[in-house]
């Protein structure tokens, strides 16, 4: 991959450099404008990294602006979670602002347009308005309200504000052109009547501005230079510019880029809200969710998410990114920082027949071989151990390098052992493996001269700590949900969560803290889940060590 210095400019950086060179702006300002109607997801992370990244690179400021012009769907809980998520990702906004703080100013802007003869109050129903709008191939038609006098419009708009009408009775529209080739320019609605309680302005307002009449004006009020949004807003740009031009306010500029779509992932708040409400997941922060809070709980690091956003770059056309790239990024980071621990998921008992009875010795294991400042930890070793069931085969195929009768393996950071006898119960179930160990083969001071190919993880039975692990798979079975037939929920993977209530960990696991990241040897990367209690630690698997799906595909 290219480094920052080497890579060529993306198209947004090109635009900004040109604008700066031409003296259009002296410094740049961007904003991240979430609507507080849900938790942030990875698509928002992309937008956050982009907006904050640009002002990091070029200097300037990035505001956090809550786009809270729709009173019905917004909640304070979402505002708090959004602030928390942006900070966790590693960014600090210049100012925390709310579009609702501009309601008075926006109202004044609307009055200005009415006075210029560029806005009017319309009594038509929404059906009538839709019908009069025409189609992309046929022009719309003017209605009689369009020619209302400025005075009448001013009076009616004030009455709308004062709550003299019911919801839907009237709207304020921009007076542009009912035959305009861009449908968004056919007298778009600026204000609608809504007798609703707003989470910040309470019951003060009976009218609320539409997105198109709030967003660009908010940008201008904050003197945002580059207002970056996703491609679906391209047709709105003309209107964005029309309002700014006719209001003669700061010339913010809207620029569009392709939204992030990820394979096997639903990435829209509306869909994620359904998953939460209909209990397909256990809340917004369920580790299977592509929300920032879900990914945090799952064990993703801010560094890995930022790296992912950087790697995917910025596109001008819709595309679909492989979720494998996201997993690659987190694996790379966790490999560098994760503390290594041995944990046996499905145990089989090993008895070392020649190990002194009752003896326990402390062996040393490196916490992280990838870290030059890594410390070592003590691991108790004894004559009764657990290894993984899947690391033993009674009748192995050729080139099987794990344990089997008569074969030798190394126990990680410990000794070489040899399987001497397989003990079974009456039903033929294996109950234990009787093995011998080679005292001279101790890791670090091996004088045995024996070479073995397989190395297994293990825990001493009497010292093992039972913990719970939760393993996650993709939440959806369809690669491209936008293309998949039927409702997106038809494609939910019913087996996306597997809980192993008891697995056996080496004792050093007891020191685990919430922020710690672990590699359970040969099992993947893990972190502590907040459901953990003093008596029982619970771990989430963030990601496997290798891309098991890619392996499946190559079979
Ligand atoms: P959703 O469709 O999930 O509800 P949204 O666009 O309605 O998303 P907002 O809260 O309005 O959500 O978005 C805040 C900012 O994040 C906007 O600038 C929006 O363009 C950007 N954004 C949202 N989803 C994505 C995405 N998938 N990729 C990139 N940017 C996104
Ligand atoms: Mg939106």
């Amino acid at each position: 991959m290219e480094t920052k210095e080497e890579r060529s400019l993306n198209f947004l950086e090109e635009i900004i450099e040109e604008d700066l060179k031409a003296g259009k702006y002296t410094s740049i300002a961007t904003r991240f404008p979430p609507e507080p109607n849900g938790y942030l997801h990875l698509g928002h992370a992309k937008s956050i990294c982009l907006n904050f990244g640009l002002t990091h690179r070029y200097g300037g400021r990035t505001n956090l602006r809550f786009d809270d012009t729709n009173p019905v769907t917004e909640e304070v809980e979402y505002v708090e979670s959004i602030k928390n998520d942006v900070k966790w990702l590693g960014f600090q906004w210049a100012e925390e602002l709310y579009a609702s703080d501009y309601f008075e100013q926006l109202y004044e802007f609307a009055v200005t347009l009415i006075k210029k003869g560029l806005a009017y109050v319309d009594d038509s129903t929404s059906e009538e308005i839709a019908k009069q709008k025409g189609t992309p191939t046929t022009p719309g038609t003017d209605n009689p309200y369009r020619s209302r006098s400025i005075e009448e419009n001013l009076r009616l708009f004030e009455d709308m504000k004062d709550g003299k009408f019911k919801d839907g009775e009237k709207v304020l529209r921009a007076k542009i052109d009912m035959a305009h080739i861009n449908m968004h320019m056919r007298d778009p609605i600026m204000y609608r009547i809504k007798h609703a309680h707003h989470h910040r302005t309470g019951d003060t307002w009976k009218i609320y501005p539409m997105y198109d009449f709030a967003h660009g004006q908010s940008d201008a009020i904050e003197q945002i230079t580059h207002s970056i949004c996703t491609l679906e807003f391209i047709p709105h740009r003309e209107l964005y510019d029309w309002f700014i031009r006719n209001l003669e306010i700061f010339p913010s500029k809207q620029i569009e880029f392709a939204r992030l779509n990820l394979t096997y992932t639903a990435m829209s708040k509306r869909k994620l809200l359904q998953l939460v409400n209909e209990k397909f997941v256990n809340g917004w922060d369920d580790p299977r969710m592509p929300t920032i809070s879900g990914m945090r709980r799952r064990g993703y690091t801010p560094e890995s998410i930022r790296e992912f956003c950087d790697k995917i770059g910025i596109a001008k056309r819709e595309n679909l990114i492989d979720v494998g790239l996201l997993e690659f990024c987190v694996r790379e980071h966790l490999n560098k920082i994760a503390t290594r621990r041995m944990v046996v998921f499905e145990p089989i008992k090993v008895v070392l027949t020649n190990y002194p009875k009752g003896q326990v010795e402390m062996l040393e294991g490196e916490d992280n071989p990838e870290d030059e400042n890594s410390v070592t930890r003590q691991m108790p070793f004894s004559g009764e151990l657990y290894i993984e069931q899947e690391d033993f085969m009674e009748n192995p195929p050729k080139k099987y390098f794990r344990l089997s009768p008569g074969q030798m393996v190394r126990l990680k950071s410990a000794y070489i052992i040899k399987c001497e006898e397989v003990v079974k119960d009456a039903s033929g179930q294996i109950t234990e493996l009787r093995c011998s160990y080679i005292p001279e083969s101790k890791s670090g001071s091996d004088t045995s001269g024996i070479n073995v190919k397989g190395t297994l993880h293990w825990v001493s039975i009497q010292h093992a700590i039972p913990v719970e692990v939760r393993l996650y798979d993709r939440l959806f079975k369809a690669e491209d949900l936008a293309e998949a037939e039927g409702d997106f929920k038809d494609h939910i993977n019913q087996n996306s969560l597997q809980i192993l209530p008891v697995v056996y960990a080496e004792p050093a696991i007891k020191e685990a803290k919430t922020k710690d990241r672990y590699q359970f040897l040969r099992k993947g990367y893990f972190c502590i889940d907040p459901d953990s209690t003093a008596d029982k630690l619970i771990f989430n698997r963030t990601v496997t060590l290798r891309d098991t799906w890619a392996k499946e595909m190559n079979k």
Side-chain angles (χ1 to χ4, degrees), residues 31-37 40-44 46-48 51 67 82 211 215 228-230 232-233 257-261 267-270 272:
R31 86 290 170 257
F32 173 63
E35 187 178 341
N37 61 351
L40 297 184
H41 52 60
L42 192 61
H44 296 113
K46 172 74 212 172
S47 172
I48 292 167
N51 280 295
D67 192 355
I82 289 169
Y211 172 90
H215 204 91
I228 299 159
C229 61
T230 43
E232 64 271 25
F233 288 98
F257 76 106
R259 57 189 300 120
L260 166 63
N261 300 306
M267 195 101 82
S268 100
K269 278 182 286 191
R270 192 177 52 80
L272 298 178

Side-chain angles (χ1 to χ4, degrees), residues 535-548:
D535 302 330
K536 187 168 198 191
L537 288 174
I538 300 173
F539 289 88
N540 291 320
R541 179 154 70 191
T542 311
V543 69
T544 52
L545 288 183
R546 260 169 243 101
D547 187 348
T548 47

Side-chain angles (χ1 to χ4, degrees), residues 294-474:
M295 295 176 72
R296 176 166 58 231
R297 185 167 178 180
R298 173 90 169 245
Y300 271 81
T301 56
E303 290 89 339
S304 61
I305 296 176
R306 293 199 303 259
E307 175 65 15
F308 169 74
C309 291
D310 213 39
K311 269 194 163 63
I312 56 178
I314 299 149
K316 281 193 207 179
R317 265 196 220 130
E318 286 289 342
N319 56 15
L320 184 64
I321 304 285
D322 186 345
V323 69
L325 180 61
L326 177 66
E327 292 170 352
F328 171 83
C329 291
V330 73
R331 228 177 248 127
E332 279 225 313
H333 187 226
L334 293 178
N335 182 43
K336 288 193 201 115
I337 64 162
T339 302
R340 273 58 173 174
R341 292 287 181 261
M342 294 204 281
V343 181
V344 173
F345 281 23
E346 288 183 68
I348 182 168
K349 184 175 173 183
V350 167
V351 177
L352 302 180
T353 50
N354 59 338
Y355 195 81
K357 262 224 153 7
Q359 178 173 304
V360 175
E361 69 184 296
M362 291 312 242
L363 301 178
E364 297 220 313
E366 218 182 331
D367 263 0
N368 183 357
E370 298 288 320
D371 178 359
E372 51 190 39
N373 302 317
S374 169
V375 293
T376 55
R377 67 187 187 281
Q378 303 277 302
M379 298 178 297
F381 184 85
S382 69
E384 293 196 343
L385 312 165
Y386 282 142
I387 64 165
E388 229 39 92
Q389 264 174 41
E390 62 175 24
D391 282 337
F392 174 79
M393 262 181 116
E394 200 171 6
N395 300 299
K398 271 194 193 132
K399 294 205 173 168
Y400 185 77
F401 299 123
R402 298 186 235 173
L403 199 60
S404 61
Q407 192 151 310
M408 287 195 265
V409 292
R410 173 171 290 284
L411 296 179
K412 174 76 182 166
S413 305
Y415 297 94
I416 293 175
I417 62 167
K418 180 178 181 185
C419 179
E420 309 283 2
E421 188 190 346
V422 180
V423 182
K424 295 181 183 172
D425 63 14
S427 69
Q429 279 284 332
I430 300 176
T431 53
E432 65 181 50
L433 305 173
R434 297 178 74 78
C435 302
S436 57
Y437 90 111
I438 298 167
E440 305 78 51
S441 67
K442 187 169 172 177
S443 269
S445 57
D446 186 351
T447 54
S448 68
I450 304 170
N451 270 324
V452 293
K453 285 226 169 80
T455 302
L456 308 184
H457 63 277
W458 54 273
V459 291
S460 164
I461 295 179
Q462 58 165 307
H463 302 97
I465 310 283
V467 301
E468 176 176 315
V469 294
R470 297 177 180 173
L471 309 178
Y472 302 99
D473 200 348
R474 314 194 150 152

Side-chain angles (χ1 to χ4, degrees), residues 96-154:
E96 174 187 333
L97 300 161
Y98 295 81
S100 57
D101 288 343
Y102 309 138
F103 280 168
E104 192 64 48
Q105 171 78 75
L106 294 172
Y107 178 80
E108 292 303 324
F109 282 157
V111 169
T112 302
L113 290 181
I114 295 175
K115 284 182 180 162
K116 282 183 151 190
L118 294 174
Y120 63 99
V121 173
D122 191 340
D123 301 1
S124 311
T125 63
S126 52
E127 294 76 28
E128 284 164 345
I129 289 177
K131 213 150 104 212
Q132 291 158 5
K133 201 138 206 187
T135 69
T137 48
T138 53
T141 44
D142 293 1
N143 67 32
Y145 307 111
R146 201 173 192 272
S147 45
R148 269 185 167 140
S149 70
I150 290 176
E151 289 65 36
E152 192 183 4
N153 282 320
L154 285 172

Side-chain angles (χ1 to χ4, degrees), residues 272-283:
L272 298 178
L273 182 63
Q274 280 183 57
L275 295 177
V276 172
N277 286 345
E278 295 169 36
K279 307 238 180 316
F280 287 100
V281 294
N282 304 313

